[in-house]
Amino acid sequence: MPSAEPLAPLAPPAPPTAPAPPAAPPRRRGRPAGLSPYAFLAPFFTLFAAFGIFPLLYTAYVSLYRAELQTPGELEWRGLGNYTALFTDPFFWTALRNTFTMGVLSTVPQLLMALGLAHLLNYRLRARTFFRTALLLPYATSVAAASLIFAQLFGHDFGLVNRLLDLVGIHPVDWQNGTAASQIAVSSIVVWRWTGYNALIYLAGMQTIPSELYEAAEVDGASRLRQFLHVTLPGLRPTIVFTSTVSTIGATQLFGEPLLFEGSMSGGISHQYQTLGLYMYEQGWGFFHLGRAAAIAWVMFLLIVVLVGVNALAARRRSRKEAGR
Amino acid sequence: MSIPRTTPRAVVRIGAVALTGVLLAACGSGSGSDGASSGDAAGGDVTLTVDLFGSFGYQEAGLYAEYEQLHPGVKIKQTDTEDEQDYWKSLQTRLAGGGGLADVQAIEVGRIASVTQQQGGKFVDLNQYGAGTLKAEFAPAKWSAAATKDGKVLGLGTDVGPEAMCYRRDLFQAAGLPTDRTELAARWATWDGYLELGRQYKEKAPAGSSWIDSVGSLNAIMVGQQKERYYDASGALIYENSPAVKAAWDASVKAAGEGLSAKLDQWSPPWNQAFASGSFATLPCPAWMLGYIKGQAGDAGQGKWDVAKLPGGAGNWGGSYLAVPSVAKHKKEAYELIKWLTAPEQQTKVFRKQGNFPSATRSIGQIADAKDPYFSGAPIGQIFGDAAEQAPVQVLGLHDKDIADQINNALSEVERKGTAPETAWSNAKKAVKNALG
């Protein structure tokens, strides 16, 4: 296919430094082949340096000072004071705990439901494209719109959820002020928005599993459930690792949904659903303590690194075990 | 390779400049020159932006239209945030970034100390346009609160917040309580009397109706009756042991415990809806609240509301200033506008339309006889005028509003979650510490 050669972006290009066989025609003329990949990568890396590395380092720098938004000229050295203060800060621990519980409350059902939905969509059904598009619609909705709607659904007196509960004889739940109730309500927004997105990723993963495996399983008399457990799940492992990593990062940074649920930075009157992201925002842009906010940002960053590391380790151990079997 | 090499470098440079600009933003003081803006304005059209919170009533009183007529070529555009807390947050962020600021920004009196003590450089010293000559027009305390130690004048006073009690005649009647404002004022001469009436109301209240909108408003209005609240005159933080704060807290907790409150969150959408639906019978109201009630209760509320003297003496809650940020595009024109808007004649008009009580002394004299048909013809000029005269001159502190917000939040815990008052108070102290840093 000579005509497709320059257009195939996915084909791994031959390493330019590799000694080319003498018979091969020269691919580029007039340029030292060794530099051009770097030139093509340069825009990304310069942007990354400006908008990725620099803010990161600057945040680390600010986190060592007492820095206030209103009096930016008066930086006062605190060393690690902003970090150590977090250990005795009850609001930080509340936020950390909330981030964790809401992370579990949103990520686990989200990924399980996504798996199930993807499995269903993987069958040959009528109007498959319609269902796949419909799955992605919540993800396309803005977080602001979704949170506003959910806040109304979970309203105490006139919310639809409480009315439905009333029909089955359950007393109205205070979705705003109750600790568990408010966390469930906020998590449900996250679940609603991201389930379809993850389902599509799982679906893509499922379609890479060779159909011969399913055929063989069927010949062996495996039920649909057994096929799912013994063919689909093992085949999806890399995809599952990917989605759980991405979801963990997302859960650690959870911000928009709790912020917009009641429109308050404090995450409810008792901080009952204030996440780390929200707490950082409140410190920085509610109380204008930029140094402390920066310290929280770094703690969040390190937390994510640790969580992702644990995730990767678990995945590697799992697959090593599998290989040894 | 010259192009690919220099472009990234330029990108880096631009990116770095842009980022430093954003991140270090506030390090640079406002460097915009006013010469440029005032020069251009003489001939061409100027659009002045005005950014406010709550309800200042300028649009409602038709003042922008009037000003545009008086000054051909000037257009005024207003933006408005309902909740002052949100407004202040976004104002501070924009001040730090130095962008997105309107030509005229409003400042609540609870924030003015923070502006004069910390942000003198970020607002125009209005003296340079001759504001000094206006000093005699304003109540002395109003004027001096917006002045810095070194004599800069950073804002012109709009209104003050003399306090009264707003109530729903129709709901009072339905519950078998007296509706006459003088009689009520006598019955609730003290806060105990007010809570006692509340208990009576609760017994026969129409379904779905409570005595007061939130205990937060009760707390705020009571704190407003005191001279010293969160800080003492030397600027020391005293809120933890302040008798004024404690008295207001105790009364609020009591009202919450007895179920007198509709448990609404002030400035929230459910609170706004409750004005029309009659969820509460009384609303402690500074003068500026009248316009808010009119806006939320709408024409259907006409004649249902009334205003009576406040229990427990006179007080002041709120009141605002108009200021011009140093980076405003049209500083001179903005000054002309705020000078006109805060002039006695305009303050009088706003009061007659909206109820915001004037801070200009000459205006106060002009409105003594004002009555408001919306509030059943209540003599608001006299009620609020007396309150303004008798209200204590408050000691203003750096973080008045932040402290008030945190205490209010803790009170919400008591009224909405049933948190024990002691726990809530210790939560309030923690939250204040957290907020002040």
Side-chain angles (χ1 to χ4, degrees):
Chain A
M1 285 203 303
S3 66
E5 190 259 347
L7 288 172
L10 289 178
T17 46
R27 291 194 156 197
R28 306 252 192 282
R29 266 169 293 162
R31 287 264 166 89
L35 282 179
S36 51
Y38 298 103
F40 288 126
L41 283 173
F44 168 76
F45 279 105
T46 42
L47 284 176
F48 180 67
F51 296 102
I53 301 283
F54 175 70
L56 200 69
L57 296 179
Y58 188 73
T59 308
Y61 167 77
V62 167
S63 75
L64 302 176
Y65 288 86
R66 183 187 152 82
E68 300 288 303
L69 186 77
Q70 293 174 299
T71 52
E74 303 163 20
L75 286 183
E76 185 190 313
W77 173 254
R78 286 203 67 187
L80 292 175
N82 283 326
Y83 292 92
T84 51
L86 290 180
F87 289 113
T88 54
D89 179 350
F91 297 98
F92 170 75
W93 290 108
T94 310
L96 186 64
R97 198 175 56 232
N98 291 346
T99 306
F100 179 75
T101 52
M102 286 163 76
V104 172
L105 275 176
S106 58
T107 310
V108 173
Q110 181 195 133
L111 294 184
L112 290 180
M113 279 163 63
L115 256 182
L117 284 170
H119 184 60
L120 291 178
L121 276 176
N122 204 22
Y123 289 124
R124 287 217 177 85
L125 349 136
R126 234 177 273 169
R128 203 156 51 161
T129 320
F130 166 78
F131 286 116
R132 287 178 186 176
T133 316
L135 264 188
L136 210 56
L137 272 182
Y139 173 61
T141 315
S142 92
V143 58
S147 301
L148 281 177
I149 304 269
F150 272 77
Q152 297 200 348
L153 290 179
F154 284 112
H156 185 264
D157 294 324
F158 305 107
L160 188 66
V161 176
N162 272 350
R163 286 199 183 172
L164 292 177
L165 289 179
D166 192 45
L167 286 182
V168 292
I170 297 175
H171 284 297
V173 176
D174 195 343
W175 294 108
Q176 254 108 35
N177 297 322
T179 305
S182 62
Q183 294 196 0
I184 291 173
V186 173
S187 301
S188 71
I189 311 175
V190 183
V191 171
W192 182 81
R193 280 193 73 221
W194 290 90
T195 300
Y197 169 84
N198 284 308
L200 277 195
I201 292 182
Y202 285 144
L203 185 60
M206 284 175 188
Q207 294 186 339
T208 62
I209 300 172
S211 57
E212 296 86 52
L213 289 179
Y214 288 101
E215 281 159 20
E218 217 162 304
V219 169
D220 290 348
S223 67
R224 283 267 152 96
L225 180 67
R226 300 216 71 141
Q227 288 180 20
F228 177 73
L229 290 177
H230 296 289
V231 180
T232 312
L233 276 189
L236 269 187
R237 178 148 312 123
T239 320
I240 293 174
V241 170
F242 169 76
T243 53
S244 59
T245 305
V246 169
S247 301
T248 308
I249 296 174
T252 315
Q253 297 180 329
L254 188 59
F255 175 71
E257 288 86 350
L259 175 68
L260 296 168
F261 185 55
E262 272 187 290
S264 88
M265 288 179 289
S266 59
I269 49 179
S270 312
H271 302 252
Q272 67 268 25
Y273 57 92
Q274 186 174 45
T275 57
L276 282 176
L278 210 48
Y279 185 52
M280 176 184 77
Y281 180 66
E282 188 186 35
Q283 282 296 330
W285 280 268
F287 303 145
F288 314 133
H289 306 316
L290 294 185
R292 287 175 67 184
I296 300 168
W298 259 90
V299 169
M300 278 174 71
F301 176 69
L302 296 177
L303 191 69
I304 290 175
V305 169
V306 168
L307 285 173
V308 169
V310 168
N311 220 328
L313 268 183
R316 193 187 295 171
R317 263 186 84 179
R318 192 69 208 272
S319 49
R320 208 176 285 160
K321 235 168 144 188
E322 204 98 324
R325 202 161 55 175
Chain B
M1 293 287 285
S2 68
I3 292 168
R5 261 191 202 159
T6 49
T7 310
R9 221 176 263 166
V11 170
V12 170
R13 215 171 287 148
I14 293 167
V17 168
L19 273 171
T20 344
V22 172
L23 293 168
L24 303 174
C27 296
S29 61
S31 55
S33 73
D34 16 310
S37 62
S38 52
D40 301 342
D45 285 350
V46 174
T47 301
L48 290 175
T49 48
V50 179
D51 191 22
L52 310 173
F53 58 84
S55 60
F56 277 67
Y58 297 139
Q59 205 135 43
E60 292 84 345
L63 293 187
Y64 295 143
E66 200 179 328
Y67 191 81
E68 284 169 356
Q69 221 161 35
L70 290 171
H71 300 78
V74 174
K75 281 258 169 304
I76 301 172
K77 259 171 59 183
Q78 178 192 290
T79 45
D80 196 354
T81 310
E82 217 147 78
D83 192 339
E84 196 274 342
Q85 227 180 325
D86 295 334
Y87 168 84
W88 179 248
K89 181 178 59 175
S90 105
L91 173 64
Q92 289 304 317
T93 315
R94 286 179 285 148
L95 277 175
L101 288 156
D103 295 310
V104 174
Q105 296 280 169
I107 296 164
E108 214 263 352
V109 65
R111 311 286 192 188
I112 196 73
S114 158
V115 169
T116 55
Q117 290 176 33
Q118 296 184 322
Q119 303 190 302
K122 292 192 180 161
F123 291 94
V124 172
D125 177 9
L126 301 176
N127 277 325
Q128 60 177 296
Y129 300 115
T133 56
L134 304 173
K135 187 173 177 180
E137 303 259 16
F138 291 88
K142 187 77 182 171
W143 181 267
S144 61
T148 64
K149 272 194 193 131
D150 53 353
K152 286 184 193 160
V153 172
L154 301 181
L156 294 182
T158 56
D159 62 324
V160 288
E163 298 173 338
M165 183 63 74
C166 293
Y167 64 99
R168 286 277 298 259
R169 292 179 74 93
D170 55 335
L171 295 178
F172 271 51
Q173 201 157 26
L177 293 186
T179 54
D180 178 65
R181 61 183 82 89
T182 355
E183 195 184 339
L184 283 171
R187 294 278 292 271
W188 64 42
T190 63
W191 284 107
D192 283 337
Y194 170 80
L195 293 180
E196 177 52 38
L197 269 182
R199 276 171 221 125
Q200 290 176 25
Y201 179 83
K202 197 185 166 200
E203 270 168 32
K204 289 193 208 162
S209 168
S210 299
W211 177 239
I212 190 171
D213 66 317
S214 68
V215 296
S217 68
L218 178 59
N219 180 67
I221 205 124
M222 286 185 72
V223 167
Q225 291 175 314
Q226 309 297 329
K227 182 174 184 298
E228 269 190 357
R229 304 166 298 169
Y230 309 119
Y231 290 83
D232 68 11
S234 72
L237 196 60
I238 57 158
Y239 82 98
E240 283 182 51
N241 303 310
S242 153
V245 173
K246 182 165 170 33
W249 172 271
D250 288 344
S252 308
V253 164
K254 203 168 166 192
E258 296 186 20
L260 299 180
S261 158
K263 306 181 182 183
L264 293 158
D265 183 11
Q266 288 204 312
W267 317 110
S268 72
W271 187 65
N272 291 340
Q273 288 156 14
F275 281 91
S277 63
S279 304
F280 50 83
T282 64
L283 173 65
C285 58
W288 44 260
M289 191 75 91
L290 299 189
Y292 201 83
I293 294 175
K294 286 179 192 171
Q296 297 300 335
D299 291 340
Q302 168 105 18
K304 285 184 183 160
W305 290 84
D306 207 328
V307 186
K309 225 179 118 188
L310 188 71
N316 185 77
W317 172 2
S320 298
Y321 292 87
L322 294 180
V324 181
S326 314
V327 295
K329 273 199 206 100
H330 311 289
K331 289 194 264 289
K332 179 89 172 69
E333 292 80 359
Y335 170 72
E336 293 298 333
L337 174 65
I338 66 173
K339 179 182 159 192
W340 187 82
L341 285 174
T342 57
E345 295 71 31
Q346 276 62 249
Q347 292 208 19
T348 304
K349 285 178 206 159
V350 172
F351 175 79
R352 291 195 184 279
K353 177 73 192 165
Q354 256 332 69
N356 295 4
F357 197 83
S359 61
T361 39
R362 192 144 50 85
S363 174
I364 298 175
Q366 291 171 358
I367 54 161
D369 61 338
K371 291 188 165 60
D372 194 327
Y374 192 93
F375 289 87
S376 310
I380 54 170
Q382 187 215 325
I383 293 176
F384 288 113
D386 288 353
E389 203 172 293
Q390 295 157 17
V393 175
Q394 285 158 342
V395 177
L396 299 178
L398 200 51
H399 295 292
D400 275 348
K401 195 74 172 53
D402 289 326
I403 299 168
D405 287 341
Q406 298 307 324
I407 292 180
N408 186 24
N409 192 43
L411 279 173
S412 304
E413 281 192 273
V414 176
E415 75 173 344
R416 282 187 254 164
K417 298 183 80 168
T419 306
E422 300 74 37
T423 316
W425 178 248
S426 92
N427 288 350
K429 285 198 287 189
K430 272 189 241 164
V432 169
K433 193 168 161 253
N434 188 42
L436 304 195

